[in-house]
Amino acid sequence: MTAKLIIKKVKRFAADIPAEEIDFEPGVNVLVGPRNAGKTTWLRLIDHAFGDPDTAIKALGAPIAEKYDAVEVTINIGDADHVIGRNWKEKNAKTKIVINGQSLDVKEFNDFIFQKLGWPQIVYASGDPYAERAWKQLGFRGPFRHMFRQARFWGDFVEQQPGADFYACMMLFLGLAEKRYPPEHGDIVKANKEIERLTYKKENMVEMLTQVSHRLGSAKDVGNTPTIETLDKAITHYQNEMVRISETNKVLLLTTAKNVEPAPDLSDSLQKQWTEASNKRTVLKTDTERNRERWREIESYRRGVSQERERLERTLAAGELLVGIKITHCPACDQTVDANLDLEDQCYLCHQPHYVEDATKINTRRLEFEKAQLEEELSEIAGMANILETQYTQLMEQTRAVDIELQDISRKLAPLRTAVAAVMPVEVTLADRAIGALGERIKLLEGLKDSLQQRDNINQEITELEEQITLLRTKVTAAGEGLSFTIPAQRLTDGFNSYLNALNKEFERYDKALHGNVKITKSDVKVTIQDLPWQHKLGDTNTGYFVLAYNYALLKLSQYPEYLYPGLEIIDFPMTFADGKETEDAENYLIEPFCDLQKLSDKVNWQVIVAGRSFKDLNIAHRIELHETWK
C-alpha cells in the first residue's frame, strides 16, 4: 500500500510584500474567486514546486516570476511533513528543489519522492527497445501529470504524454510495475542486441573467409569452405614441403661450395665488419627517433607556454586600458556618480576606507610575476631544444659515417658474391623462391585459422548469451506470475461510469449510452466507448466530463491497498465549463461526486484541490476564497 500525498500549505514570497499563504485539508478543497483572482497562479506554483524542470518564467509566466521570488509547499507523506521549495531569484538555485532545507537536483528529488511514497524504480522502453537511448527511468513528473489537470489541458487524460510513458504510469498506479517491468526485461533486450551485433560480425567474417578460400581454391587441401582441421593439414603439408626443399637446397649449396675458393680470412673479416656496422646503424637510428620524439614534445610544450604568456600580455594590456574607466552611474539606483570626487583614503563610490593597496596594482603585479615565470620557463625550454638539436646533428653525422662504411664493405664483398653467383645452380635460386612462397602461404593459412578460431569464440559468446536469455526469461516469467489486468481494468471502468452516472443525478447531462470501458494488456491501456476509441465518440463538453471521470477513477483506486495511487488530485477548471451558466453553484455538479466519495469514506486520507468560480453550498468542501484581482 502506498503512502498518501497531502498538501497542507502553500506559501509564496516576494521582496516588497509580506508572504502570502493558503492552507488545504484532506478531502475536497475548493479554491474560489472571480476572474483574475490568481487561482491558477496558486496551482502553477504548486506544480513548479513539484520538480518542474522549466524556468520560473516559462512555467509561471514573466509577471508572476518577476513579482515573486520563491514558493514553499508543505506536504504530508505517510505520517511525516516535508517542505518543498523553489527559489528562482537565488543565484545557482533556479533548477534546484529544496526539500527540508536541503538543495536537490531533479534526480535526487525523484528518488526522495519515490522512496517516501514507497514507489518502485521503473526502467522501461520509451520506444523501440533496440534503439539507442530507448530506455528511460520513470520520474515523478510523469505520474504527477495524471494528478494535476491544468485549465488548458482538457482534451485528453494526460496531454502530450507518449503512450509508453502513459502505460508506465498506469502500471505504477495499479501496483503492477514491478511485475510488468522486472529489471531482467532490460537485460534480455541488451543481450539480444549483443547477439545481433555478434551475429553480424560473424557473418561478415564468414563471408571474408569464403572469399579468401576462393582465392586459395587451387589448393585442393584447403577447399572452398575451410575448417580448422583442413587448415592444420594444409599448414603441416606446406611445412614438410619447406623442409624437403631446404634439405635439397642444402645438398646443392654444399656441392657448389667445393667449387668456390674465396679467401677465407678476408670473407670472414668483411662479414664481421658488415654485421658490426649494421648493428651500429640500428642503434643510431633508434637514438635519432628518440631524439626527434623528445624534441617534438619540448616544442609542443613550448607552444603552450608561449600561448599562455601571450594571454597574460593581452590581459595586462586590457587592464591598462580598463583601469582608467570610472563608474559613472550607481549600479543600485542608476544615479550619476562623481568620479572626480577626491576623498582621502576612501573609495569615491562606496566611501569605504582603503585599508590595503589598490587591488588593481596587486593583480597587475601578480600577472607580471606569472609572466616572468613563463618567460623563465621559455628560456629553459629553449636551452633543452638547443641541446636536442646539437645531439640530432651529431647523430646524423655518425649515421652518414656508418653508411659510408657499409658502402665500402659492400664494394669489397662484391667480387666474392660474383664468384659465388657464377657457380650457383639455378635450382638453388628456384628453391629459395619456393621456400619464400610456401612461407607466405603458411602465414595466410595461419591468419585464416585465427579467424576461424575467432568465429568459434563468437559462437561460444552467442551460446552463453542465449543461455543467459533463457535464465532471464525464466525470471521474467516468474516475476510476471499472477500479472492479471482483469480486476484493475474493471475497477477503472467502474470509476469512469460511477462519475458519469453521478452527473445525471438530477437530470441527464451525459448520454447513458456513452459509458466507458477500460481494457489493459501487456502493452497498452485502451479506453473505449461502444468499442471505439473514446475520443471518436465525444464532443467538447462530453470530453470534459470524460477526462474528469478519469481523475475520479484514479482517485477511487486510493480505496484499495494493493494500488499505489497517492490520492492527490489538483483540478483547474477552464473559464467556461458549467452548463454555460453564470450562477454561483453552476459548477457544483462537477464536484459533488468527489464530495459524495468523501462522505462515504471511512478515512479521508486523500485530497482533491479544485479551482473554480464559486462552488456555493458545497458544505463538505474546505473553501478558500480569493477576493483581490490582478490589475
Side-chain angles (χ1 to χ4, degrees):
M1 181 177 181
T2 189
K4 297 300 184 288
L5 172 59
I6 303 293
I7 297 175
K8 300 180 71 174
K9 182 191 298 290
V10 183
K11 195 172 185 179
R12 62 191 182 190
F13 303 86
D16 54 350
I17 59 175
E20 302 169 345
E21 64 181 61
I22 55 177
D23 297 315
F24 296 105
E25 295 180 359
V28 179
N29 297 258
V30 290
L31 184 63
V32 299
R35 292 178 181 176
N36 299 321
K39 303 182 293 295
T40 295
T41 296
W42 280 105
L43 300 187
R44 286 184 179 177
L45 287 167
I46 295 173
D47 179 44
H48 193 56
F50 276 109
D52 181 8
D54 287 333
T55 63
I57 290 179
K58 186 174 181 180
L60 306 174
I64 301 298
E66 291 170 2
K67 178 176 181 178
Y68 296 100
D69 300 338
V71 62
E72 285 185 355
V73 180
T74 302
I75 63 173
N76 180 274
I77 303 179
D79 296 325
D81 288 351
H82 307 279
V83 178
I84 301 175
R86 298 292 293 269
N87 189 334
W88 49 91
K89 295 289 182 67
E90 183 179 337
K91 186 178 180 180
N92 299 326
K94 294 180 180 179
T95 61
K96 297 292 184 179
I97 302 102
V98 179
I99 300 183
N100 302 327
Q102 183 179 2
S103 182
L104 306 179
D105 58 27
V106 172
K107 182 182 182 307
E108 292 169 330
F109 170 75
N110 287 336
D111 294 341
F112 173 85
I113 293 291
F114 270 64
Q115 190 267 330
K116 294 301 180 182
L117 289 174
W119 284 355
Q121 296 292 345
I122 301 173
V123 177
Y124 62 99
S126 60
D128 179 7
Y130 292 94
E132 292 296 326
R133 301 188 180 185
W135 291 81
K136 63 191 296 186
Q137 182 170 330
L138 184 66
F140 180 72
R141 293 298 296 179
F144 187 69
R145 291 175 65 184
H146 294 248
M147 306 176 209
F148 178 29
R149 180 161 304 286
Q150 301 183 44
R152 54 187 177 145
F153 291 150
W154 281 78
D156 202 347
F157 298 145
V158 183
E159 194 73 14
Q160 298 177 349
Q161 188 172 57
D165 297 359
F166 181 88
Y167 186 80
C169 292
M170 292 304 300
M171 291 297 101
L172 173 67
F173 294 151
L174 297 174
L176 303 174
E178 288 182 291
K179 292 183 177 182
R180 180 59 187 83
Y181 301 110
E184 292 82 7
H185 185 265
D187 294 337
I188 290 175
V189 173
K190 291 178 182 177
N192 278 320
K193 289 174 68 175
E194 182 64 12
I195 287 176
E196 285 189 359
R197 187 188 69 82
L198 292 173
T199 301
Y200 179 75
K201 180 179 179 181
K202 184 184 73 170
E203 289 174 351
N204 286 341
M205 186 177 295
V206 170
E207 183 179 355
M208 181 271 294
L209 290 174
T210 301
Q211 292 176 358
V212 173
S213 64
H214 287 167
R215 295 179 183 178
L216 296 175
S218 59
K220 296 180 180 180
D221 47 0
V222 174
N224 292 329
T225 307
T227 64
I228 291 180
E229 182 181 2
T230 58
L231 290 174
D232 281 336
K233 289 181 179 180
I235 291 170
T236 301
H237 169 72
Y238 292 135
Q239 288 174 340
N240 292 337
E241 187 66 13
M242 287 177 66
V243 171
R244 184 188 66 77
I245 294 174
S246 296
E247 292 296 330
T248 302
N249 208 26
K250 184 178 180 181
V251 173
L252 289 172
L253 288 173
L254 290 174
T255 303
T256 303
K258 295 177 182 179
N259 300 323
V260 180
E261 296 181 0
D265 295 338
L266 178 60
S267 176
D268 293 343
S269 175
L270 290 174
Q271 189 65 41
K272 183 177 180 181
Q273 291 177 29
W274 174 272
T275 302
E276 291 175 355
S278 297
N279 292 338
K280 186 177 181 180
R281 195 185 190 290
T282 301
V283 172
L284 288 171
K285 182 180 179 182
T286 302
D287 291 344
T288 302
E289 291 175 351
R290 289 176 180 170
N291 177 278
R292 290 296 85 189
E293 180 64 27
R294 178 59 178 159
W295 181 85
R296 284 190 289 271
E297 293 175 358
I298 292 295
E299 182 63 18
S300 176
Y301 184 58
R302 183 197 65 76
R303 286 195 298 269
V305 174
S306 179
Q307 291 170 359
E308 183 64 24
R309 184 190 63 177
E310 292 173 0
R311 282 194 291 268
L312 285 178
E313 289 177 346
R314 289 195 296 271
T315 302
L316 286 168
E320 292 175 358
L321 293 174
L322 295 174
V323 71
I325 299 176
K326 298 296 184 179
I327 299 174
T328 60
H329 290 75
C330 175
C333 65
D334 202 33
Q335 298 184 71
T336 304
V337 176
D338 185 1
N340 298 317
L341 185 63
D342 186 15
L343 297 176
E344 184 178 357
D345 296 329
Q346 289 186 10
C347 172
Y348 74 89
L349 179 65
C350 67
H351 305 299
Q352 298 186 72
H354 294 301
Y355 291 111
V356 295
E357 189 175 356
D358 191 305
T360 303
K361 295 181 180 179
I362 294 175
N363 291 333
T364 300
R365 284 208 310 273
R366 179 175 61 81
L367 292 174
E368 289 177 344
F369 174 73
E370 292 181 0
K371 177 185 173 184
Q373 284 188 316
L374 292 174
E375 289 175 345
E376 183 178 350
E377 193 167 355
L378 283 172
S379 178
E380 294 178 0
I381 293 171
M384 295 173 63
N386 290 334
I387 292 173
L388 290 171
E389 285 291 347
T390 301
Q391 292 176 350
Y392 177 72
T393 301
Q394 293 173 352
L395 289 169
M396 294 303 294
E397 291 176 354
Q398 294 175 19
T399 300
R400 283 193 292 272
V402 172
D403 287 340
I404 293 172
E405 183 181 355
L406 286 170
Q407 292 173 5
D408 183 60
I409 295 172
S410 294
R411 285 193 296 271
K412 293 176 180 179
L413 283 172
L416 298 175
R417 291 170 177 166
T418 302
V420 172
V423 296
M424 186 67 66
V426 176
E427 291 82 355
V428 173
T429 302
L430 295 175
D432 287 340
R433 292 178 180 175
I435 290 172
L438 289 171
E440 290 300 321
R441 198 172 191 84
I442 288 173
K443 287 181 181 179
L444 182 57
L445 294 175
E446 290 285 359
L448 286 174
K449 183 179 176 182
D450 290 342
S451 297
L452 286 175
Q453 288 174 340
Q454 290 181 27
R455 179 203 63 187
D456 292 343
N457 292 338
I458 291 175
N459 286 332
Q460 181 62 33
E461 287 184 57
I462 291 175
T463 300
E464 292 174 358
L465 286 170
E466 289 172 342
E467 293 174 353
Q468 178 184 346
I469 289 173
T470 300
L471 293 175
L472 289 171
R473 283 177 175 163
T474 301
K475 292 182 179 180
V476 169
T477 301
E481 288 182 358
L483 182 61
S484 175
F485 304 110
T486 304
I487 294 177
Q490 186 60 56
R491 285 176 175 169
L492 284 172
T493 299
D494 291 345
F496 269 99
N497 295 322
S498 293
Y499 181 83
L500 297 174
N501 291 336
L503 294 180
N504 296 336
K505 183 169 60 175
E506 297 177 356
F507 58 88
E508 185 171 331
R509 296 184 175 92
Y510 185 86
D511 189 344
K512 296 178 181 180
L514 300 179
H515 59 81
N517 183 58
V518 180
K519 183 178 180 181
I520 305 174
T521 66
K522 287 187 176 181
S523 59
D524 196 11
V525 176
K526 293 182 179 180
V527 181
T528 60
I529 295 176
Q530 297 176 351
D531 296 328
L532 291 174
W534 67 273
Q535 297 95 330
H536 296 180
K537 300 292 293 184
L538 301 178
D540 290 343
T541 300
N542 282 339
T543 294
Y545 294 153
F546 206 76
V547 297
L548 200 54
Y550 172 73
N551 292 103
Y552 183 86
L554 287 181
L555 189 64
K556 287 204 68 176
L557 293 178
S558 304
Q559 301 176 357
Y560 303 99
E562 64 268 31
Y563 300 140
L564 302 185
Y565 191 75
L568 174 65
E569 289 287 353
I570 303 173
I571 302 170
D572 190 8
F573 277 171
M575 186 178 300
T576 56
F577 189 23
D579 289 348
K581 301 176 182 178
E582 290 293 331
T583 60
E584 292 182 337
D585 62 351
E587 296 170 321
N588 285 8
Y589 74 97
L590 297 168
I591 302 303
E592 285 173 349
F594 294 95
C595 295
D596 293 340
L597 189 64
Q598 181 173 344
K599 294 175 183 177
L600 297 174
S601 297
D602 296 332
K603 181 180 180 182
V604 183
N605 58 352
W606 47 267
Q607 186 178 57
V608 178
I609 299 174
V610 185
R613 294 290 300 278
S614 177
F615 297 116
K616 185 180 179 181
D617 297 330
L618 280 178
N619 297 325
I620 196 171
H622 175 61
R623 185 179 181 86
I624 305 107
E625 295 189 12
L626 304 178
H627 301 288
E628 295 184 10
T629 59
W630 283 68
K631 299 294 189 291

